[in-house]
Amino acid sequence: MGDTQPAIREAARRSASPRRGAVVAALMLSMALAALDSTVVSTAVPQIVGDLGGFSVFSWLFSGYLLAVTVTLPVYGKLSDTFGRKPMLIAGTALFLLGSLLCALAWNMGALIAFRIVQGLGGGALQGTVQTLAADLYPLEERPKIQSKLSTVWAVSAVAGPGVGGLLAAYADWRWIFLVNLPIGAVALWLIVRHLHEPQRERETPKEHAAQEDHDTQSESAAKTTPRARVDWAGALAVFACGGVLLTALVQGGVAWSWLSGPSLALFAGGLALAGLVVVIERRAAEPIIPGWVWRRRTIAAVNLALGALGLLMVAPTVFLPTYAQAVLGLGPVTAGFVLSVWTLSWPLSAALSQHVYRRIGFRDTALLGIGTATLVLLAFPFLPYPGAAWQPTLLMLVLGAALGLFQLPLIVGVQSTVGWSQRGTTTASVLFCRQTGQTMGAALFGAVANGVLAARLGGTGDLDSLARDLDAGTAPEATRHAVADAVHAVYLGASGAAAVAFVVLLLVAPRRFPVRAE
């Protein structure tokens, strides 16, 4: 009888493979939707503004979506641990598709911004739940494969977004940017409903949670049945309000108003007050949306901080490199986009191969190798010759992508493997939330740095918007090109500092060997 058990398990695994493949296809489609909608609107702004008006507030087409995605990540993470991944992914996909349909029907800019926020409310579920399900579906030794696939989908979709948006706006209508989501999302939704079947799982007791906080155990404790969890709706609302206010202050500060203006100071003060309210509510909640153990465990806290720094440093290449390629190197928009997009080749490949490294030296040391290399690459950028050749930043981006693939994926796979099913959604969401928040902070911080350098070099007469107009008209003078180079160099120095912070955090806070739990 004992000899038949492996054969039975192998037969069950093979029978489940087609179903798992269908679910993975749904996850990749969902990830593509979330990635595309973060960038697809950018090149269609002239057509949208020409049709709807509202030029003064169009930036909220991006900010509103980003805010909604970011602040809902921890909420969806906790709810997926409570009710399961499938209900959250279905609800999020449906809400995202509803927002897409409403965006296509928008009658003015205010309505379009509101419907983009509805999209973002669903997009938070797409990002967080997809990453969590990937860890649920695959054992530790196979997770790099699915995570590298998702990384590839995200990178390609995010880079392709502006091109797709431009083509649809030019040859069809800007409303098709949102309508094309409907058939893709419907297929993903059908695959999820039809093929994703989650097993019944027993939740860990408070004692087991406490034991996990005291020390990350190497083995799963025996699960005990607990009553149906209560949802911390007060905490969810407080987290949403706090995140929304603080991220609004970061996104609009230095853009819609100065950093020391009344609106900016009021938003930061309100955000800090709401943060105190979140702490009070979460400390009293039986099932908090952001539980304290997320920050009390060394491994999770270190990964959160390190990936927050990753989000911050990624702003340098994604936001400022295209401007550098056009203004300094004299490249066209398409070629400039290629300089940036080469890291979408090396990042997923490096991530897929990272398993061979971390199986030998561990998750932390692999991530240290990646972020250490990234620090040197970012630090090398300011030393490029002026004006230089296109192959030089292209080569740096290729190496940077490989370095960040070694850095990010081992941390995500590693931290997901230190917790059980009932904590994986919350853990994954906290990691993604920190990365998104870091990216928002980086956009605000490095935008201020770039504008400050430009103002100093050009006598207070330049900003990135006017530079873009000069570039389009082919009238950017040599002094402006030098100013752009200096500004981007300063941003890359700041990004190398963020990478160095991530290195130090991992070295001093993260344990050398992640306490992986037995599956």
Side-chain angles (χ1 to χ4, degrees):
M1 177 68 76
D3 294 339
T4 66
Q5 293 303 314
I8 293 174
R9 285 196 297 269
E10 178 64 18
R13 185 188 65 80
R14 289 180 178 176
S15 66
S17 293
R19 178 176 296 168
R20 187 170 71 170
V23 174
V24 169
L27 298 185
M28 294 176 73
L29 288 174
S30 300
M31 184 65 77
L33 285 176
L36 274 172
D37 266 73
S38 64
T39 60
V40 73
V41 178
S42 59
T43 47
V45 166
Q47 289 79 12
I48 295 174
V49 171
D51 189 12
L52 301 180
F55 179 79
S56 62
V57 294
F58 83 87
S59 64
W60 275 98
L61 291 176
F62 314 98
S63 302
Y65 181 83
L66 173 67
L67 292 173
V69 168
T70 304
V71 300
T72 53
L73 276 168
V75 177
Y76 280 119
K78 182 60 180 179
L79 292 179
S80 75
D81 284 342
T82 303
F83 298 109
R85 323 298 187 212
K86 184 174 181 177
M88 292 304 101
L89 192 52
I90 290 174
T93 304
L95 190 57
F96 182 89
L97 295 181
L98 173 62
S100 299
L101 178 60
L102 292 174
C103 284
L105 300 175
W107 54 90
N108 59 35
M109 185 62 75
L112 183 57
I113 291 171
F115 299 148
R116 280 284 284 172
I117 292 174
V118 173
Q119 261 194 317
L121 295 177
L126 295 183
Q127 286 197 33
T129 312
V130 164
Q131 293 277 12
T132 306
L133 261 172
D136 290 344
L137 289 171
Y138 287 84
L140 176 58
E141 62 271 13
E142 296 183 38
R143 282 177 195 155
K145 297 178 183 177
I146 180 61
Q147 290 289 358
S148 63
K149 289 179 181 178
L150 293 177
S151 296
T152 303
V153 169
W154 179 271
V156 172
S157 299
V159 171
V164 172
L167 287 172
L168 290 173
Y171 297 104
D173 185 273
W174 65 263
R175 298 179 189 272
W176 280 100
I177 289 173
F178 304 104
L179 289 174
V180 295
N181 290 338
L182 301 182
I184 299 173
V187 172
L189 196 58
W190 180 81
L191 290 172
I192 293 163
V193 172
R194 177 71 176 84
H195 294 286
L196 177 56
H197 301 291
E198 294 185 280
Q200 289 293 112
R201 298 180 186 268
E202 294 175 327
R203 304 181 67 254
E204 291 179 338
T205 64
K207 282 186 177 181
E208 289 167 329
H209 278 275
Q212 180 69 7
E213 290 173 24
D214 292 337
H215 61 88
D216 291 318
T217 181
Q218 292 274 347
S219 61
E220 245 350 297
S221 301
K224 299 171 185 173
T225 304
T226 60
R228 186 183 181 89
R230 291 174 291 176
V231 179
D232 177 25
W233 293 116
L237 181 61
V239 168
F240 189 88
C242 176
V245 170
L246 286 176
L247 291 176
T248 300
L250 288 170
V251 169
Q252 295 298 99
V255 179
W257 47 70
S258 66
W259 287 108
L260 297 178
S261 65
S264 187
L265 295 176
L267 282 172
F268 278 115
L272 292 175
L274 286 169
L277 180 62
V278 168
V279 172
V280 172
I281 293 174
E282 297 298 83
R283 287 175 65 91
R284 296 179 179 179
E287 292 284 347
I289 291 292
I290 303 180
W293 54 260
V294 167
W295 292 103
R296 285 196 292 268
R297 298 182 196 172
R298 288 176 56 198
T299 305
I300 301 175
V303 172
N304 282 344
L305 293 172
L307 289 187
L310 171 66
L312 196 147
L313 70 87
M314 283 179 63
V315 170
T318 56
V319 175
F320 293 94
L321 184 61
T323 299
Y324 177 90
Q326 294 179 72
V328 178
L329 302 180
L331 304 178
V334 175
T335 310
F338 174 77
V339 173
L340 171 63
S341 65
V342 292
W343 76 344
T344 65
L345 303 175
S346 56
W347 189 322
L349 180 62
S350 172
L353 297 176
S354 66
Q355 59 178 314
H356 302 295
V357 182
Y358 67 64
R359 285 176 179 170
R360 291 177 176 271
I361 65 175
F363 293 113
R364 190 201 70 165
D365 289 350
T366 303
L368 285 173
L369 176 63
I371 198 61
T373 304
T375 304
L376 296 177
V377 172
L378 292 166
L379 197 57
F381 193 93
F383 294 97
L384 291 178
Y386 177 88
W391 67 265
Q392 294 164 336
T394 303
L395 179 61
L396 288 183
M397 287 302 297
L398 198 66
V399 178
L400 181 63
L404 295 181
L406 274 181
F407 170 67
Q408 178 180 257
L409 187 134
L411 291 183
I412 292 178
V413 172
V415 78
Q416 287 179 330
S417 303
T418 64
V419 295
W421 183 93
S422 65
Q423 298 178 342
R424 190 172 291 143
T426 299
T427 300
T428 304
S430 73
V431 168
L432 298 179
F433 175 80
C434 288
R435 189 181 67 186
Q436 287 278 106
T437 302
Q439 203 158 353
T440 304
M441 294 176 62
L445 175 63
F446 292 145
V449 169
N451 280 320
V453 173
L454 286 171
R457 298 293 187 272
L458 300 175
T461 60
D463 60 54
L464 292 180
D465 291 336
S466 64
L467 292 176
R469 288 192 295 269
D470 290 343
L471 180 62
D472 287 337
T475 59
E478 189 68 17
T480 298
R481 297 177 65 196
H482 269 289
V484 171
D486 290 342
V488 176
H489 289 166
V491 168
Y492 267 80
L493 282 175
S496 67
V501 168
F503 184 94
V504 172
V505 165
L506 288 177
L507 186 65
L508 300 182
V509 180
R512 183 171 184 182
R513 295 290 177 181
F514 281 21
V516 175
R517 304 186 74 179
E519 296 181 340

